[in-house]
Amino acid sequence: FNASDGRCPTCGGNGFEHVEMQFLSDVYLRCPDCDGKRFRPETLEVTVERDGRTANIADVLAMTVNEALAFFNDDAEIARVLAPLADVGLEYVKLGQPVPTLSGGEAQRLKLAGFLAEATKSKLPRASRSNSDRMRGPIRGTLFLFDEPTTGLHFDDVAKLMRALRKLLAAGTRVRALARNRDALSR
């Protein structure tokens, strides 16, 4: 949708049309040409097949992280990139969801997932790593400061967050978290 050859010419690949209202909130209407799918018909004809299921780019972008992990279960690179999203508790987010629609906490966890994905990017196979290699990577030496990272999270989500923070520590980073809920951070 970010290339003129593939995106819908009517909505510019947004999937909606923006209607400015003078005295009311602006209105966003689903694009009448692409029906919110953001792509030209010829782009939507390109599909990928996995385990007897077929999906085009609009179908993939409509998948949640968990659905995409299941659909692309045989592709290690896709799993490597998507797994950190599930690790930080964003398994329900759709792949094509616009970033501005995320809450502040979801946006922070999305950023954290990006660092986790970066940490796994340069990992060597476990059998061939020495102790010094285990700590190498693009984020080694980074200091992460968290202010009340567990506020508003369910206990299960707090546990996922703590596992994600431990993965950051294993990647050679330093993590400092300030929280009133000491029980959450003692995990």
Side-chain angles (χ1 to χ4, degrees):
F1 65 89
N2 59 0
S4 60
D5 293 343
R7 69 177 168 223
C8 171
T10 304
C11 65
N14 290 321
F16 60 85
E17 292 182 293
H18 178 213
V19 179
E20 290 188 40
M21 305 294 281
Q22 290 212 350
F23 300 107
L24 300 170
S25 297
D26 291 351
V27 176
Y28 297 92
L29 301 172
R30 179 177 287 161
C31 176
D33 289 341
C34 69
D35 195 30
K37 293 184 178 166
R38 303 168 18 176
F39 300 95
R40 294 175 183 259
E42 55 270 22
T43 303
L44 295 172
E45 290 175 8
V46 178
T47 60
V48 62
E49 186 176 335
R50 296 282 198 274
D51 297 328
R53 289 180 44 205
T54 303
N56 63 28
I57 186 67
D59 297 330
V60 171
L61 291 175
M63 292 179 186
T64 65
V65 170
N66 272 350
E67 291 167 345
L69 281 167
F71 186 77
F72 294 106
N73 64 354
D74 60 345
D75 191 317
E77 183 61 16
I78 292 175
R80 184 194 67 75
V81 173
L82 291 179
L85 292 168
D87 290 346
V88 297
L90 294 177
E91 63 275 352
Y92 59 89
V93 173
K94 292 184 183 280
L95 298 182
Q97 183 170 338
V99 172
T101 65
L102 298 174
S103 72
E106 289 170 332
Q108 289 175 355
R109 288 186 282 154
L110 178 63
K111 193 172 214 173
L112 179 61
F115 282 105
L116 287 172
E118 192 66 27
T120 62
K121 190 176 191 176
S122 62
K123 280 191 176 178
L124 299 169
R126 183 171 294 279
S128 64
R129 288 189 298 192
S130 68
N131 284 338
S132 62
D133 287 337
R134 199 171 292 133
M135 294 303 182
R136 287 191 191 144
I139 66 169
R140 178 171 164 64
T142 303
L143 172 63
F144 290 91
L145 296 173
F146 294 95
D147 183 21
E148 298 289 348
T150 61
T151 300
L153 294 181
H154 186 275
F155 287 116
D156 291 339
D157 292 326
V158 171
K160 286 179 185 178
L161 178 63
M162 293 302 109
R163 285 191 296 271
L165 294 180
R166 283 190 205 98
K167 287 181 180 183
L168 283 175
L169 288 170
T173 68
R174 294 177 292 160
V175 175
R176 299 292 179 260
L178 306 169
R180 287 184 210 107
N181 184 354
R182 290 183 190 167
D183 293 336
L185 292 179
S186 64
R187 294 179 176 196

